[in-house]
Amino acid sequence: MSGPVDVVLVDDHLMFRTGVRASLDGSVNVVGEAASVDEAVRVVRELRPPVVLLDVHLPGGDGGGGAEVIRTCMDLLGGTRFLALSVSDAAEDVVAVIRAGARGYVTKAISGPDLSDAVRRVAGGDAVFSPRLAGFVLDSFGTAAGDVAIADDEMDRLSAREREVMRLIARGYSYREVASELFISIKTVETHVSAVLRKLQLSSRHELTRWAAARRLL
């Protein structure tokens, strides 16, 4: 996307919202804030941002927290994407907001640069999860029938290094995290990801995650 990504930041702790604002880089522009379910619905409907950074546990509404915000704004999901940002890594919290329609879930342990990257990726259509959460999210939702492996030799198209990169990217790692894990440069990661997508005839990291999950490669 060209230009900064506008986001609405939803969390009931002012100090945390202030910290997030300070941590995000210039590619993300916080255009509004909210501290409760009702306030979040009002602000999101008024501003209709490309991305909403949304805490899972929020006061107000009918007690449904972040998932309730998403369900109430269901008609906006074509143009507004929700990225959960929570201290919780409990399966029930993650599954609830993903089922409601969130495009990803990251924990508050994430760094500012990685959070900015996650916002950009969600704005661009990717699904983004903290690495430790991707596995059980996929287990919880299963895979669609259309994702079943077509040919057993697909993995043979990839080099050993491309397979390593593929698995990490499919698990939700950022390029920076993959580079650190494999002791290679971010540019090299980008090159490998491009090769993997080309060889497997996929168009995004979201598709790659589904492809890997269908083959039980995660």
Side-chain angles (χ1 to χ4, degrees):
M1 297 182 66
S2 59
V5 178
D6 289 344
V7 303
V8 164
L9 175 58
V10 182
D11 192 282
D12 59 332
H13 294 98
L14 174 60
M15 289 296 291
F16 177 75
R17 298 199 308 271
T18 301
V20 170
R21 274 183 175 270
S23 298
L24 294 168
D25 63 30
S27 68
V28 179
N29 180 36
V30 178
V31 295
E33 297 184 11
S36 68
V37 170
D38 307 282
E39 187 179 8
V41 171
R42 178 181 59 78
V43 173
V44 170
R45 286 196 170 281
E46 177 183 341
L47 299 178
R48 305 198 174 203
V51 177
V52 178
L53 276 174
L54 181 68
D55 193 11
V56 173
H57 300 291
L58 294 167
D62 294 324
E68 182 180 344
V69 174
I70 300 172
R71 288 192 297 268
T72 307
C73 297
M74 186 68 67
D75 57 306
L76 303 181
L77 291 184
T80 296
R81 297 181 172 95
F82 291 83
L83 173 61
L85 173 63
S86 176
V87 70
S88 172
D89 60 1
E92 59 268 26
D93 288 335
V94 180
V95 172
V97 294
I98 299 303
R99 286 196 186 282
R103 289 291 295 173
Y105 194 116
V106 295
T107 65
K108 290 180 177 178
I110 193 170
S111 69
D114 286 341
L115 180 58
S116 299
D117 181 62
V119 169
R120 291 191 298 270
R121 289 164 59 187
V122 167
D126 279 346
V128 179
F129 298 95
S130 291
R132 292 181 181 85
L133 306 182
F136 73 71
V137 169
L138 293 167
D139 288 343
S140 297
F141 287 88
T143 54
D147 291 328
V148 176
I150 297 173
D152 292 335
D153 65 348
E154 288 176 304
M155 283 291 286
D156 293 336
R157 303 174 192 171
L158 307 181
S159 69
R161 178 62 89 186
E162 286 169 349
R163 293 179 192 181
E164 291 177 315
V165 171
M166 177 273 295
R167 286 191 174 94
L168 293 176
I169 291 293
R171 289 172 182 165
Y173 282 62
S174 68
Y175 285 177
R176 183 181 294 103
E177 290 169 330
V178 174
S180 176
E181 184 80 12
L182 300 180
F183 302 101
I184 57 180
S185 70
I186 294 176
K187 182 65 176 178
T188 300
V189 174
E190 293 173 346
T191 299
H192 285 315
V193 171
S194 295
V196 168
L197 294 178
R198 182 181 70 253
K199 290 179 180 181
L200 299 180
Q201 298 183 343
L202 303 173
S203 60
S204 69
R205 280 174 285 195
H206 180 50
E207 289 187 2
L208 179 60
T209 297
R210 295 173 61 194
W211 182 92
R215 291 153 183 80
R216 300 184 182 277
L217 298 176
L218 299 180

